[in-house]
Amino acid sequence: MTIDEFSRPEEYISPLDKHLGSVIRQWAEEDVMPYRRRFDEDWKEHKIIEPAFKKLMADLGLQMCLFPEEVGGWGLGHSNYTATISYRMFEEIGRADTAMAVAFGVTFWPLTTITVEPHVNIRLCKEFAPMFNTDKPCFSALAMTEPQGGADIENIDLLKGRTIQTTAVLDGDEWVINGHKLWPTNTGGVADLLGVACTTRSGSDDPNDFALIFVPSTTKGVTQGGPYEKAGMAADKNSDIWFEDVRVPGWYRAAGPGDDARCFEEIISWGQMGSSAFLTGAMMNLYEILYKFCSEKTYNKKPLKENDAIAALLGRIAGDLDICRVIGYQIARMIDRPDIYGGRGSRQVISKIRNFKEFIADRAVEDFGKAMDILGFYGADRAWDIEKHWRDIKIIQLWMGGKQLCQMEAARYFFDCKSL
Amino acid sequence: MKADTLFFYPKELIDKETQSLALSIRQWADKEVIANRLKFLENYRQLVENSRKKLAMDIGLQQMIWPEDYGGGGFNSYKRSISIVRVLEEVGRADPGIGFMFAANFSSYAPMVMEPHIDKDLCAQFAPMFCGKELKTGGSLILPGAGDIDNKDETLFLGRTIQVAATLEDDEWVINGKGLRPLNSGASAELFCIVCASAYGGKGGKKAKGIPSIIYVPGDSKGIKRGKAFKKTGLHADKNADVSFNNVRVPKAYMVKRDGAVKGVYLWLNLCMSATCIGSLMNVYEIIKDWVDVRVIKGKGLIKENPLDAAVLAEIAEDITLSRMLTYNLANIMTKPEVYGSLEQDRVFALAEMIGMRVASSALHAINRTMELMGSAGYATEWNLEKHWRDVKTIQSYLCGIGANVPVSMDIARLFFDCKEI
Ligand SMILES: Cc1cc2nc3c(=O)[nH]c(=O)nc-3n(C[C@H](O)[C@H](O)[C@H](O)COP(=O)(O)OP(=O)(O)OC[C@H]3O[C@@H](n4cnc5c(N)ncnc54)[C@H](O)[C@@H]3O)c2cc1C
């Protein structure tokens, strides 16, 4: 049994799946897995982490994959399989290191609003593609969370952007942005391009006042802090960003009044899809490690996997992966085919996808914890690679508004709740 | 209200000496550790080293468990179980890693120091190591764990593999074992307390078959090889490394062959680790209380006033309350062998294992839920929660030893249902 045999709906796998999957797997096995045990100590500098990013993003050219061909990209944004192939890529990277997967995935996150059909904004693509079309890794960040809370900003259905404190005011043909964001992936000096969630009228819950504006990180008035130290996710840097009278052209707004809010809702679906892929990728690696450990180590003179009670735990873990992978690819399919499932930002799709991701995250958190206990004295040992995944994936359960918001979105949709 | 009074524990059973000791530790925790966490954010190990010294030497935890006759603090009795819990709880509140070190130390000395089995020769031999004026790492425990598929003639302790063999030669035990994973402090312990398979006869190097016993081996004995300290999830106060014993010789008297001695180690270990975990939970409560008292969600109300989040908070409070009650209950049972039977018999052993597992898992559950309510702050080092999460998880996996909770479940099933083949 290999990791590739875990179930997924084979009939709608991307035509690029085999090729791209194997390229990234080879990269992960050569450039990440042999070094990942040292990543935690590299959280601030990224000296060991950076060369692997360079190879993946610049040398293999993946940082251009979403951009249309006419601006030098691979044109994946035009495909019917954008999410499905992204899922596979994220899964392969997540198998090696979920923090690298998030840093990579978030680079595309704000870009989905200008590179993926039906939102292709060719003017902005032309503007930003050269940044990414280089031999250096180039990252984006999506700045939503603010000091007073991230969950409320993501609770767009209920609060409709009312709590956003970062303001964007049109002055002539320029946006002037002021505010303070926390935590975006790829900050701490990493990101070259920022997608910033703002309000054009403080306290407004009119969708027309929600703005998603692109800001190159070198723009005057943008300050990124130093990276925060965290329980895990060393390959992802997060920090404060301050915007002080930051000026960008008016056309740097992703889609325009009303459409930005819709794009933002779609972003939630994309984010949950990515999160699910990072998790099933890590779970695939968990399976590989457990297989080895439980075949070689014994309890009561039998390999661990041959003890009925331990086998029950192992069966659950493998079974969870088998189920979660099917669900994860279903999320990708729902994003790829709005014609079948409804709009990516529709209530129906967001609620279901949040719910799917919460389920996968809960299973993953429990399974990694259980696996550490199966390894016992070795469970907390960095050398077995499980504990790092355990530390890394916990935040996947908590980010993007957290577990409770997922629960409320599900209840709201399935039971027509009005006030949650 | 302070966490201490909010979560019940049998106050009436805590003697005056322990009350004052607990107070000193509380003051040490607040002043030396908790107040300095932010300052030492990027150099936590330094903070641990400075503060552990004060706790071990000035407050006296290093010698606490040794008999008074040998220069110790005299807590070497089952009658002091409740006091030991109270002390470790206060240490765990400050830092579960420091708590873990003392918990493991205490458990490693228990077979020779604890009434009614005080081994005078061993105490005379080893007390001076730990009851002097120098800061020590303390005793390291090497417990049975995973077996190796290629090794067919292993000795088991209730299904877990004993990886150390002790053979008697010319009035000395000759000890062999390769690549052993201690519970704690393999890199720097001055003394090893090892669960070994002891057998008479046989030659050094040849694997002995025998009965599970405990042997003490001074850390500077010839033939001990220590690996490099490895990186682990939590418990960074403690430096652990794999250890090998190659024909290490110790005097015959260094073995504790008493029936039940190995179970005794597990008993103390489960009690002491549970106490450390509830200490950790006390601080977790303080952290989440500070958070929910001010954090606003949905643009208006406090998070604690949201029924869903309040239900999560209730789970956290339940986990803390019940874990504390269970741990003190176990300690109380241990103080009364005349009522509940000897400590080293199966009933108390199984109870300790049950409670140890339950408390570690409830503690982790409570911390996981706390992290949910704190969002990214819970995951950031700066908020001090994530360290408790890593430390408690490490304790939980260590208590499992191998195969998750299955070995403990087998011990329990064996006791209550007379299972013969598991
Ligand atoms: C590694 C990492 C990467 C990240 N990447 C990004 C990024 O790329 N971009 C970005 O903008 N942010 C990012 N974040 C931030 C993250 O998404 C937010 O922290 C998260 O959304 C929660 O926000 P908060 O921490 O402010 O908690 P809060 O918003 O204060 O929420 C705290 C808790 O309150 C409860 N709660 C909130 N709302 C409700 C509700 N409606 N009903 C019931 N309970 C509720 C939940 O338990 C929730 O977890 C990242 C964080 C980390 C650690």
Side-chain angles (χ1 to χ4, degrees):
Chain A
M1 169 82 192
T2 69
I3 47 173
D4 296 313
E5 287 162 69
F6 282 95
S7 304
R8 56 181 184 156
E10 298 294 341
E11 63 278 16
Y12 57 75
I13 294 308
S14 156
L16 274 179
D17 184 87
K18 206 167 169 190
H19 174 67
L20 218 44
S22 70
V23 168
I24 297 183
R25 184 167 297 181
Q26 190 184 348
W27 162 84
E29 288 177 355
E30 286 173 6
D31 295 277
V32 182
M33 288 163 122
Y35 308 103
R36 65 183 170 181
R37 287 176 202 156
R38 291 191 284 143
F39 281 9
D40 277 291
E41 286 66 35
D42 193 32
W43 66 274
K44 216 178 199 176
E45 306 284 332
H46 277 195
K47 277 191 180 140
I48 309 169
I49 295 166
E50 184 136 350
F53 272 135
K54 179 180 179 312
K55 183 154 175 195
L56 177 74
M57 299 178 67
D59 301 352
L60 293 173
L62 279 164
Q63 64 200 23
M64 282 302 288
C65 69
L66 269 197
F67 284 99
E69 288 96 325
E70 60 187 291
V71 299
W74 299 10
L76 278 189
H78 294 307
S79 152
N80 261 353
Y81 292 99
T82 314
T84 313
I85 189 61
S86 303
Y87 195 98
R88 176 73 203 273
M89 291 196 280
F90 298 161
E91 207 178 33
E92 287 296 334
I93 306 171
R95 172 173 164 258
D97 187 282
T98 47
M100 290 196 85
V102 66
F104 175 76
V106 166
T107 290
F108 303 112
W109 207 12
L111 293 176
T112 56
T113 62
I114 58 167
T115 57
V116 177
E117 295 292 359
H119 302 298
V120 178
N121 177 333
I122 201 69
R123 190 177 180 198
L124 283 177
C125 286
K126 277 191 184 141
E127 180 78 355
F128 298 130
M131 247 185 207
F132 292 84
N133 208 353
T134 73
D135 58 1
K136 291 200 188 77
C138 180
F139 297 85
S140 337
L142 179 66
M144 304 174 289
T145 307
E146 296 182 355
Q148 78 283 357
D152 287 351
I153 295 177
E154 299 221 16
N155 196 350
I156 191 93
D157 187 38
L158 184 75
L159 296 168
K160 301 187 166 43
R162 179 154 51 82
T163 63
I164 298 175
Q165 310 275 314
T166 302
T167 54
V169 176
L170 206 53
D171 180 21
D173 57 2
E174 282 184 337
W175 289 109
V176 182
I177 302 172
N178 280 285
H180 179 193
K181 297 283 185 182
L182 299 182
W183 282 109
T185 283
N186 293 334
T187 49
V190 174
D192 302 276
L193 183 64
L194 312 166
V196 188
C198 314
T199 177
T200 57
R201 201 155 53 97
S202 284
S204 166
D205 54 11
D206 180 346
N208 291 318
D209 293 325
F210 178 91
L212 187 72
I213 300 177
F214 284 93
V215 178
S217 62
T218 48
T219 314
K220 194 167 160 244
V222 176
T223 314
Q224 298 187 42
Y228 314 132
E229 192 174 3
K230 319 184 285 290
M233 286 272 172
D236 170 22
K237 287 196 199 179
N238 314 84
S239 74
D240 296 66
I241 322 180
W242 292 271
F243 299 88
E244 222 183 316
D245 292 329
V246 172
R247 288 180 170 268
V248 292
W251 55 278
Y252 275 22
R253 183 173 185 169
D259 290 339
D260 277 6
R262 265 191 293 284
C263 283
F264 188 72
E265 291 185 307
E266 295 190 8
I267 269 182
I268 293 176
S269 295
W270 283 103
Q272 303 292 11
M273 180 280 284
S275 302
S276 303
F278 312 152
L279 289 165
T280 55
M283 288 164 91
M284 284 160 83
N285 193 218
L286 174 66
Y287 164 77
E288 296 171 291
I289 300 166
L290 274 181
Y291 192 101
K292 180 173 161 54
F293 188 89
C294 295
S295 303
E296 290 173 359
K297 300 288 179 191
T298 63
Y299 166 70
N300 222 355
K301 301 201 172 186
K302 275 187 187 169
L304 295 174
K305 66 179 186 176
E306 301 298 340
N307 174 289
D308 300 57
I310 298 169
L313 304 175
L314 296 174
R316 182 68 272 138
I317 292 173
D320 282 346
L321 169 55
D322 211 38
I323 295 166
C324 290
R325 211 172 177 225
V326 172
I327 299 174
Y329 274 92
Q330 173 64 21
I331 299 176
R333 178 68 166 171
M334 286 165 82
I335 293 178
D336 278 336
R337 298 299 301 270
D339 53 322
I340 302 175
Y341 294 96
R344 292 168 193 139
S346 65
R347 267 309 87 206
Q348 167 184 331
V349 168
I350 291 189
S351 311
K352 288 188 176 179
I353 288 182
R354 272 207 189 268
N355 193 36
F356 288 152
K357 177 262 178 174
E358 190 214 348
F359 181 87
I360 297 174
D362 284 356
R363 296 318 311 145
V365 167
E366 187 170 330
D367 290 342
F368 273 97
K370 191 54 87 184
M372 283 176 72
D373 294 345
I374 291 175
L375 266 66
F377 296 131
Y378 297 91
D381 182 344
R382 182 91 59 87
W384 278 92
D385 296 317
I386 291 182
E387 71 84 34
K388 180 177 179 304
H389 279 307
W390 176 80
R391 283 182 290 115
D392 290 347
I393 61 152
K394 178 69 187 173
I395 191 62
I396 304 179
Q397 186 189 39
L398 307 184
W399 66 27
M400 291 195 67
K403 185 169 160 55
Q404 282 69 34
L405 186 55
C406 292
Q407 293 173 316
M408 292 304 91
E409 295 252 17
R412 199 188 291 155
Y413 173 70
F414 289 107
F415 290 92
D416 295 320
C417 306
K418 304 280 183 249
S419 65
L420 302 178
Chain B
M1 218 190 278
K2 281 224 152 84
D4 222 20
T5 28
L6 206 50
F7 299 102
F8 280 129
Y9 71 105
K11 268 190 179 158
E12 69 284 5
L13 301 180
I14 314 276
D15 56 54
K16 284 225 156 60
E17 185 193 2
T18 306
Q19 275 174 18
S20 106
L21 183 56
L23 186 65
S24 308
I25 301 175
R26 164 71 50 122
Q27 286 164 350
W28 160 85
D30 287 338
K31 187 164 160 252
E32 304 291 334
V33 186
I34 294 175
N36 285 326
R37 278 173 184 162
L38 275 186
K39 206 163 96 196
F40 284 84
L41 203 58
E42 285 191 28
N43 193 7
Y44 195 78
R45 199 180 282 277
Q46 188 61 49
L47 174 65
V48 163
E49 270 162 30
N50 301 346
S51 54
R52 191 175 77 84
K53 187 163 183 200
K54 289 203 170 125
L55 183 65
M57 307 310 297
D58 303 351
I59 300 179
L61 258 65
Q62 183 163 296
Q63 55 261 50
M64 185 182 114
I65 207 87
W66 291 90
E68 280 176 335
D69 290 351
Y70 300 91
F75 277 62
N76 58 308
S77 170
Y78 57 87
K79 293 186 199 125
R80 307 303 295 267
S81 307
I82 293 178
S83 306
I84 291 171
V85 169
R86 185 75 194 94
V87 162
L88 286 173
E89 177 178 56
E90 288 296 333
V91 182
R93 173 177 164 265
D95 183 291
I98 302 180
F100 167 82
M101 281 184 82
F102 284 108
N105 290 165
F106 293 175
S107 312
S108 72
Y109 311 141
M112 65 174 145
V113 302
M114 280 294 172
E115 273 183 341
H117 300 295
I118 302 175
D119 186 319
K120 292 186 174 162
D121 291 343
L122 287 177
C123 286
Q125 184 66 36
F126 296 123
M129 257 186 197
F130 303 107
C131 299
K133 295 207 173 338
E134 223 182 297
L135 178 69
K136 300 284 178 165
T137 299
S140 164
L141 269 175
I142 299 185
L143 297 173
D148 207 329
I149 186 90
D150 298 326
N151 194 349
K152 300 277 177 260
D153 56 345
E154 303 170 317
T155 304
L156 301 182
F157 171 71
L158 301 174
R160 302 136 172 114
T161 300
I162 298 178
Q163 288 146 330
V164 182
T167 331
L168 197 61
E169 274 180 32
D170 308 329
D171 263 9
E172 283 183 329
W173 289 106
V174 181
I175 300 164
N176 281 287
K178 254 204 214 138
L180 308 165
R181 171 61 48 102
L183 178 89
N184 65 306
S185 310
S188 53
E190 293 85 6
L191 182 67
F192 289 98
C193 169
I194 305 167
V195 174
C196 64
S198 70
Y200 292 91
K203 292 274 175 250
K206 191 172 166 217
K207 187 135 193 180
K209 268 193 185 159
I211 50 165
S213 317
I214 283 174
I215 192 142
Y216 285 100
V217 179
D220 57 2
S221 307
K222 202 170 149 226
I224 297 183
K225 205 167 155 214
R226 304 184 197 229
K228 245 180 82 189
F230 58 84
K231 291 177 189 144
K232 50 188 161 49
T233 312
L235 306 176
H236 292 328
D238 180 68
K239 289 195 190 96
N240 204 1
D242 285 348
V243 184
S244 294
F245 295 86
N246 185 12
N247 289 325
V248 175
R249 289 179 169 263
V250 295
K252 194 174 170 188
Y254 285 11
M255 172 140 338
V256 178
K257 287 193 73 183
R258 185 178 75 245
D259 267 0
V262 179
K263 286 184 181 155
V265 170
Y266 280 92
L267 173 74
W268 286 104
L269 187 68
N270 278 290
L271 181 78
C272 293
M273 292 301 168
S274 300
T276 305
C277 287
I278 54 175
S280 166
L281 286 177
M282 291 294 147
N283 191 226
V284 167
Y285 170 78
E286 294 166 318
I287 295 170
I288 185 68
K289 180 78 170 45
D290 283 352
W291 175 263
V292 298
D293 278 350
V294 296
R295 191 71 176 177
V296 170
I297 58 160
K298 293 166 99 171
K300 38 184 204 290
L302 286 177
I303 182 171
K304 68 179 182 181
E305 303 298 347
N306 174 288
L308 169 61
D309 298 324
V312 176
L313 289 170
E315 274 183 42
I316 296 167
E318 268 178 50
D319 280 332
I320 303 176
T321 305
L322 298 178
S323 298
R324 205 176 194 203
M325 294 196 94
L326 282 176
T327 306
Y328 275 99
N329 232 312
L330 172 63
N332 193 28
I333 284 172
M334 286 170 64
T335 60
K336 298 189 177 70
E338 66 284 4
V339 181
Y340 297 103
S342 129
L343 297 195
E344 295 179 351
Q345 45 120 1
D346 289 346
R347 263 171 66 198
V348 186
F349 164 71
L351 178 71
E353 286 194 305
M354 259 182 232
I355 292 180
M357 280 288 153
R358 179 55 63 95
V359 168
S361 119
S362 297
L364 194 72
H365 178 257
I367 303 175
N368 265 311
R369 303 240 70 185
T370 301
M371 208 180 257
E372 281 170 22
L373 296 184
M374 290 181 68
S376 290
Y379 195 70
T381 312
E382 193 183 331
W383 273 85
N384 301 308
L385 179 78
E386 64 85 30
K387 183 175 180 304
H388 284 289
W389 178 66
R390 288 184 289 108
D391 286 347
V392 167
K393 179 68 213 177
T394 310
I395 291 178
Q396 185 190 32
S397 296
Y398 281 2
L399 278 181
C400 291
I402 184 67
N405 54 339
V406 170
V408 169
S409 302
M410 298 304 106
D411 295 345
I412 296 167
R414 227 179 268 124
L415 173 74
F416 286 94
F417 297 95
D418 298 320
C419 306
K420 302 273 184 265
E421 291 168 18
I422 52 173

